[in-house]
Each structure stands twice: as C-alpha cells, then as structure tokens.
Amino acid sequence: MNTTPRAALPFLVVLLIVNRSPGQQQFGSEEERVRQQKIEEILRLKDLRTPYRNKLLALLSDGDNAVRREATLAYGTLQDTTVISLLVRNLTEADPLTQEAAAFAIGQTATMMSEQGREELAYDLIWKRFSLTTATARLLEEIGKFGTKSSLNDLILRFGTPSPVADQEHLIMCVARFAIRGVVSDDALRFLLRYVQPGVNTPWQVVYALQRAGFQRETQSHLDRLRRLYTHEDPLLRMNLAALLGRLRDSTGVSDVVLRLAEFDPDWRVRVNAFRVLGGFEWKGNTRVIDAFRRAFFDGNIHVRLTALSGFATAGVDSSDTTSAADEALRQLRTIAENRSGGFNWQTETEAALVLARVTGRMSWGWVDKLSRMQPKPRARLLAALSASREPDARRVLLDATCDTDPVVACAALDGLQSLVHRNPRDRDLRDTVAARGAGLLSSGHIATAATAASLLRDTLFRSQQWVAPLLSALAAMRPPHDTEAMQEIIGTLGAIGSSAAVEPLIALLGSPDPSLTLAAASALHDITGNDYGGRRQQRAEPLFVDLDFAYLRSLPSVVRVRFETARGDVFVDLFPRIAPFSVMSVLKLATQRGFYRGLVFHRVVANFVIQGGDPQGDGWGGPGYAIRSEFSMLTYETGTVGLASAGKDTEGSQFFITHSPQPHLDGRYTIIGKVTSGMEVVDRIEADDRMYDLTIVQ
C-alpha cells in the first residue's frame, strides 16, 4: 500500500527533495545552503514552540518557496490561532505545495477556535477561497476537521450536487471527518447514499462515513441496498458495513448479513468487527448465533477468538438459557477457563474466565490456586473476572490485591473494587473502604496505581472533599514528564470535587512547561470557580527536553528502513525523518545508542485497531524519561502506519503503535513516523505480551 495519503504525495516528494540533508548531498549553490539553514531554523523554532514566535512568523513570508512552505506546515503542529489570517493568505501562494501546506495548517489550527469563529472561517473558505486556490482537495478534508453543521450543508450544496462530483473521494472523507466529530446532516447523508446504488463501485470511505454518523433515519431507509454490500470485494468496506448495521440497530441485517461476515469472511478484521456487533444484540435462545460464537471460541485467529469470547458476554445468554447450544457454549467456556490441558494461551484462558463470571456469576475451577501462580497480567485479568462474579471471597481478595507490588495487579484490583461498589451502591462500608484504599494508593510511587486511584476518587460514588488533601499531597510530589499522566488524572479529580483548597496549587501549575498540565489545570480551575483561566497558561516556556542534533539529522537519508524483530517474525518499516524529524531521531537514538527497545513487549493489542509497544515498564505507563513534541503531518493513518502514542499534545516518548487498518480519526492528532513495508502479516499475528527482540537499522 502507498505510504502517503491521497493528496500528500506531491508535497512529500518535493519536500524530500528540497529538504535533503547535507550528509546526503553537496550543496550546489549558496542559495541551497541558506535554504537548509532556514529550514533547520524552522524545525528548531517549532520544537521550542512559542519563545521565538516572531522569527517563525517572518519565515511565513520568506522569498524561498521551500522555506515558506516549511514554515506554513509548521503551524499545522503549533496550532496558533493568531496566524489564521496568514495561513489563509498562503492558500493563494504561487507555489501549489505551499497552498497544500496552508490548507493542512488551517484544518489543524481552526479546531482551536470558537464555534462562531470556525463557522465564519469555513464560510469564507467555501464561498470565497476555493476558486482562488489549487489545494481544493486538501482543503475539503481539512474543513471536515473543524466546520459546523452549517458548513457541512454549504459544502454539500456547493460541491455535492453536480454529477459526477469533482474530488469525490475527498468530499466523502470530508463528510466522514464531520461525522467523526458528531456533525451530521440529511443532505450529507443523501450525498453519501448516492454511492450505494446498483452498478456503483461503492468506496469503503462511504460506508466508513455512514457508520461514523451512527444511527440516522436517512441511512436506515437504505438498509436493503446497504445489506447487499456484504459481498463487496473490499474488506475495508465489509468491516465498516458490519459496524454500520450494528449502529443502525438492524437486527435482521445483524442476524443475517453480519452473521455471515462473522462466520465466513476471509479477512479476520471483518470477522472481528462482525463479532463485536453480534455482541451488542440479545441472542438468548438463538441456536444459530450461539453456535457461531461457540465455534469462534476455538478460531485459529486469536483476534477473532478473543472478540467472540468478549462478545458472548454481552449477548444475553446465561445459565437460564436451556437450549443445547447455550449448554454447550457454557461447557466449552468452562473447559477453556479451567485450561487443565494447558492448551490455551493465557489471554484466551482469562478471557473465558471473565465471560463465564459475567454470564454465570461464578469463577472457573481452581481460581484461587491460579491467582497465586500466574504472572501479573493474567493475574490482573483473573481479578477482573473475580470482580464480575458473585464469589463471596471477591471483596477480600481484591482488597488484598491492591497491595500487590506490581501496578498492573494493583490497578486491576482497584478497578474490580470500583465495579463491586457499583453493583452494591447501598453497601456504605464497602464504598468507604474502597475509597480510603484508593486515597492511600495515591502516594504508592507507581504512576499507573496513582492515576487509577485518582480516577476512582473522581467517580460520583466516591467523590468527597476529604480526599482533596491526599490528592494535593500526591500532586505536589510528582514531576513531569515521568508523572504527567498521573498528574492529569489528579488534576481532573480535583476539578470534579470542586474544592477551593485546590485553587492556588492549580494556579501554580498554569506556569508549568508541560502544556498538557497547564490545559488540565485551566480546565479544573474553570470547573471549580467558573472562571476562564486559559489566558493565564504558560505561553513562553521552553520544553523540559530538547535535542536539536541537526548533525545527526543531516546524516540520515530521506527514508530510514528499520527492522522490528519480534517473537512472531520480522516487520520492516520505513521511517520518515523529513516528516517527523525529532520523533524519528528520538526512536533511532533510543534503539541504536541505548538498545532501548531490546526485549520490550507489545503491551497493548486491540483487534482491528493497533498493536502498541515501546514501554519499558510493560504496562502502558512507561517511557524514556523525557517527552518530545508532537509533529503532525499530512500523512494519514492507513493499514500499517506507525505512530507515536501520547497522553496529549507534546507528551510523546518511546511508545509507538502500528495500525491494523485505516484509522482516519487519528489523522492530525498523533505523530506519524513511518509505514510498514513488509511483514504486515506478522503485525496481524502479534498478541498482547509478545516480545520484541530488537529494533535495528537495515540501511
């Protein structure tokens, strides 16, 4: 698959040519040398963020097309609303690639504006600027990121009525980007449904946009046509069709079309989506559907197997179902959960135990013994099963487990106790005991445990002024970037509790160099006082960590091929140092200078979404000890795209993820560093806790 988005290929090609490093070429002229210096200055200013804003503003009007283009593109990451007028001006630049960059930067930046400001900007772009720019395709999609419902109707009125529609692929994705944000209109739906006609090869993006729009009567009126798409040749369409039929609450389509997709589709991603949808309907007494679930418990693809297991837990089948299919399904669940033969991996075993606990209220045979000998992650899953059961020892075991030295286990125990309280809201003693235990764990020294405890105390069942003091004490002992995520949770809980005692400590945090913390503090202060503190946030602090190693960047080729050596095989990835220079440099330095990724696990796997690794703690809360800035680009999340995980803008570290399928809702929100070129079948086989032996450069 192409490593570039639909409209970004020309831009990327020229950018790679213009922005080649001196280590790869000899400058042919003084002009080229000056250009390179200016581009590096732009990268420096972008990485340092706000302190040198006026210098970057001046480069927006530089006489060199390449410099002007790079400066314009930088604002797609900085998202500074004060330069919107200059970005709009650059839509009419003589250089078409600068126009593309301007369209992207406008789409990224306008998301930060007020609703009125967004509506006025979109109106100006749609009715006045489109005829003046060549970047119409890009601009269509970018308006989808910030436009209002009125803007959506204007777009359909202007561009969706001719036949054939110019830039149809981009207008479809524009409508999808509106739908991702919950902005939908009947006119837009009718535009999409024009592509669901006999003889029309429906693009997968149409069905994606319709399913993101959710339940809509206009879409529901075309159910018969939509159901027929289950034989479409594109698996991306079929996987989104399954999701769409579920969102339309189409029980007929689910029991017929979705069931066929779940049982027989050759693409595992389609089957995963189909079983997810099946799990959202009531199937008690339905032998055909129960048998489909039961067979999938033993599917050869672990993603299908685990999805079918979790879906069965919500399908309405329980021990009161007297059909032979239900009896057999429950018997097989017990066999898997007990795992006496050892033939099932821990993910399957513990998922079956969780399902059995939810469906029957009982745990599997020998669960007490299993808890004592399991590794932390399977033990945590078994604790989740225990919390879903009606086992009389659940409360005691979960309370004991909160003291476990492994934060994965302690967090699972806290989550389990929270679930117990919600099932027994009148048990005041249980509620008070759990809340006190959570407050005590705020200062546990583990980021994950502290964050989970803070989240628990935000729950309305536990929320109380008496927890303000331990929350503030824990917050005062924490420092970014290591504790950023836990600090965010504590700040959010303080805001929810609404104590005036938290006002001064939160005001102090407005001066933090970490923008995610200043944003969280401003939001919490608004919740407590009702006043807007956004204007008091730190605007000119330099980042805590900076690595402006341009000599290293100059030594890199425009594409760096690396190999992820995993327990399932090798995955080859092309990294793009000219698209996300500091992000790629950080990953490469961690890999080659520190051997950082050697032996780490893929701690998170979400079927038909992502696999995620790069955490030295292995629980999703670790990093390299520093944070780098986001580097958003015009690349989009396709199948096999590699991005950096974050806890908010400018909080990226060492954790990365690889997508199983296109994920447009991530575009422009997470830094893209590369693309899988070989070994996607290995990515698809990766299971949670699989080990990565190393990350090495192969060219």
Side-chain angles (χ1 to χ4, degrees), residues 398-411:
L398 289 168
L399 281 170
D400 288 347
T402 61
C403 301
D404 198 282
T405 56
D406 192 298
V408 171
V409 176
C411 290

Side-chain angles (χ1 to χ4, degrees), residues 47 49 481 515 543-547 580-587 590 597 624-631 644-646 648-655 671 673:
D47 197 59
R49 296 303 191 232
L544 293 172
F545 171 84
V546 175
D547 183 10
F582 296 117
S583 300
V584 171
M585 179 170 66
S586 175
V587 169
L590 286 172
Y597 294 97
Y626 61 83
I628 58 176
R629 266 63 63 207
S630 305
E631 294 183 291
L644 291 187
S646 74
K649 186 180 176 185
D650 297 338
T651 62
E652 288 81 358
S654 56
Q655 292 190 38
T671 300
I673 62 171

Side-chain angles (χ1 to χ4, degrees), residues 3-5 7-21 39 42-43 46-47 49 69-70 73-78 101 104 138 553 556-560 574-586 588 628-637 641-644 668 670-675:
T3 62
T4 56
L9 182 58
F11 180 87
L12 178 57
V13 170
V14 173
L15 182 60
L16 295 181
I17 293 172
V18 169
N19 200 21
R20 283 181 300 181
S21 62
I39 288 176
I42 290 168
L43 295 177
K46 185 173 73 168
D47 197 59
R49 296 303 191 232
R69 183 185 318 136
E70 189 74 13
L73 190 62
Y75 280 100
T77 292
L78 295 177
F104 168 72
R138 168 62 60 179
L553 287 176
L556 299 176
S558 59
V559 175
V560 180
D574 280 355
L575 299 181
F576 308 136
R578 301 301 171 261
I579 299 299
F582 296 117
S583 300
V584 171
M585 179 170 66
S586 175
L588 292 176
I628 58 176
R629 266 63 63 207
S630 305
E631 294 183 291
F632 303 135
S633 71
M634 293 195 290
L635 300 184
T636 55
Y637 279 92
T641 298
V642 184
L644 291 187
Y670 292 86
T671 300
I672 291 175
I673 62 171
K675 182 73 181 293

Side-chain angles (χ1 to χ4, degrees), residues 5-302:
R6 294 170 292 279
L9 182 58
F11 180 87
L12 178 57
V13 170
V14 173
L15 182 60
L16 295 181
I17 293 172
V18 169
N19 200 21
R20 283 181 300 181
S21 62
Q24 302 302 311
Q25 67 172 354
Q26 295 296 321
F27 290 122
S29 67
E30 175 66 12
E31 179 184 2
E32 290 179 352
R33 186 187 66 79
V34 171
R35 170 185 297 159
Q36 183 66 25
Q37 287 180 340
K38 288 182 177 179
I39 288 176
E40 289 184 357
E41 176 71 355
I42 290 168
L43 295 177
R44 184 178 74 86
L45 296 175
K46 185 173 73 168
D47 197 59
L48 294 175
R49 296 303 191 232
T50 55
Y52 309 104
R53 179 174 170 270
N54 289 338
K55 293 183 179 180
L56 187 56
L57 274 175
L59 292 169
L60 273 177
S61 304
D62 193 86
D64 187 322
N65 284 344
V67 173
R68 206 161 56 249
R69 183 185 318 136
E70 189 74 13
T72 303
L73 190 62
Y75 280 100
T77 292
L78 295 177
Q79 297 174 295
D80 182 353
T81 58
T82 65
V83 301
I84 278 286
S85 61
L86 297 178
L87 297 176
V88 171
R89 180 203 66 185
N90 280 8
L91 277 175
T92 57
E93 279 282 346
D95 175 31
L97 297 176
T98 301
Q99 295 183 30
E100 292 272 327
F104 168 72
I106 290 169
Q108 291 286 109
T109 305
T111 61
M112 313 299 289
M113 298 173 66
S114 67
E115 181 175 1
Q116 181 179 346
R118 291 186 285 113
E119 185 162 313
E120 291 174 355
L121 174 61
Y123 183 90
D124 179 64
L125 295 173
I126 294 166
W127 296 109
K128 299 178 182 179
R129 307 287 176 175
F130 263 96
S131 59
L132 304 176
T133 183
T134 61
T136 53
R138 168 62 60 179
L139 195 53
L140 277 173
E141 289 201 36
E142 296 302 330
I143 292 176
K145 293 180 180 178
F146 69 87
T148 63
K149 187 171 182 177
S150 175
S151 312
L152 175 58
N153 286 330
D154 283 348
L155 281 165
I156 298 301
L157 178 63
R158 176 158 188 190
F159 301 105
T161 51
S163 185
V165 177
D167 292 322
Q168 69 167 18
E169 183 181 359
H170 301 282
L171 184 54
I172 290 168
M173 279 307 300
C174 170
V175 176
R177 296 196 188 284
F178 274 98
I180 288 169
R181 299 184 293 113
V183 181
V184 183
S185 76
D186 286 345
D187 286 345
L189 293 172
R190 283 190 283 268
F191 162 73
L192 293 172
L193 290 164
R194 286 165 50 185
Y195 296 93
V196 187
Q197 302 283 351
V200 175
N201 185 17
T202 309
W204 72 264
Q205 293 91 341
V206 166
V207 184
Y208 172 80
L210 291 171
Q211 68 97 351
R212 292 299 307 211
F215 178 82
Q216 302 291 334
R217 295 192 182 279
E218 186 68 36
T219 311
Q220 198 176 44
S221 67
H222 290 72
L223 270 174
D224 287 342
R225 291 178 184 170
L226 288 165
R227 290 189 192 114
R228 296 190 191 108
L229 292 174
Y230 82 94
T231 60
H232 196 281
E233 64 181 3
D234 189 349
L236 299 182
L237 184 144
R238 300 195 304 273
M239 74 173 70
N240 282 289
L241 176 64
L244 172 61
L245 293 176
R247 293 192 175 196
L248 291 178
R249 307 168 200 162
D250 174 30
S251 58
T252 301
V254 167
S255 61
D256 183 13
V257 173
V258 176
L259 186 56
R260 293 186 195 182
L261 294 174
E263 289 194 279
F264 306 117
D265 199 277
D267 193 296
W268 69 267
R269 300 170 300 176
V270 179
R271 300 180 64 208
V272 161
N273 274 23
F275 273 113
R276 280 182 180 147
V277 170
L278 287 172
F281 287 76
E282 175 79 33
W283 301 113
K284 186 174 183 178
N286 190 313
T287 299
R288 184 184 173 203
V289 176
I290 294 173
D291 279 342
F293 272 110
R294 181 176 58 79
R295 287 189 291 270
F297 294 165
F298 303 92
D299 196 277
N301 184 288
I302 188 172

